[in-house]
Amino acid sequence: MKAIVAALINWPERLAAQLAWLGPLLARITVGWVFLWAGWGKLGALPQVIGNFRDWGVSMPEILAPFVSGLEFVGGIMLLLGLFTRIFSALLIVVMIVAIKSAFWDQVDSLEYLLGLSEFAYLAVFLWLATAGAGAASLDHLLQHHFGRRRQ
């Protein structure tokens, strides 16, 4: 049994520890790239985005549409850089919850449908980044290393 634990649990755990920087990096690059361009596209089509927000029943669409579009664009850049990752991930979690509630909630008839929404997948990635952080390949990590972490 000890050999099985060593081969199937301990060895993969040691390997995973060596690659721990890769998961957050790929997650940040993926969602950062998507949201940079989604935000940019919305900023370039604000009248249509404001109309969509209005149709979905979002209050103050003239204010929230440019705010959300800018947040997606800037948040995408910040995630690509790994800078203030937890803050921007938390803000984008709120955006995803509002998007699901505003644009899709009437169509959600099952857990399968909800879990199939790309917005829900983004929400899950943002939740992971908000709790786990940007990882070692990030400006957050570099700044923490350079300026020191607070002792808890």
Side-chain angles (χ1 to χ4, degrees), residues 78-147:
M78 299 302 261
L79 289 173
L80 285 170
L81 296 172
L83 185 60
F84 310 127
T85 301
R86 285 188 165 107
I87 293 168
F88 280 97
S89 293
L91 292 170
L92 290 166
I93 286 170
V94 174
V95 170
M96 291 301 96
I97 290 170
V98 172
I100 291 168
K101 175 70 174 93
S102 300
F104 300 105
W105 197 249
D106 292 343
Q107 301 166 31
V108 174
D109 58 358
S110 66
L111 182 60
E112 179 182 3
Y113 184 88
L114 178 64
L115 296 177
L117 294 173
S118 59
E119 290 77 5
F120 194 86
Y122 294 136
L123 189 152
V125 173
F126 292 139
L127 180 61
W128 179 56
L129 288 171
T131 57
S138 68
L139 288 177
D140 284 348
H141 182 78
L142 182 68
L143 290 171
Q144 285 177 323
H145 181 70
H146 185 266
F147 293 105

Side-chain angles (χ1 to χ4, degrees), residues 30-55:
T30 302
V31 296
W33 187 257
V34 167
F35 277 79
L36 179 153
W37 289 109
W40 181 254
K42 289 175 185 169
L43 288 169
L46 271 178
Q48 182 181 3
V49 175
I50 291 169
N52 289 342
F53 276 41
R54 190 175 289 117
D55 292 344

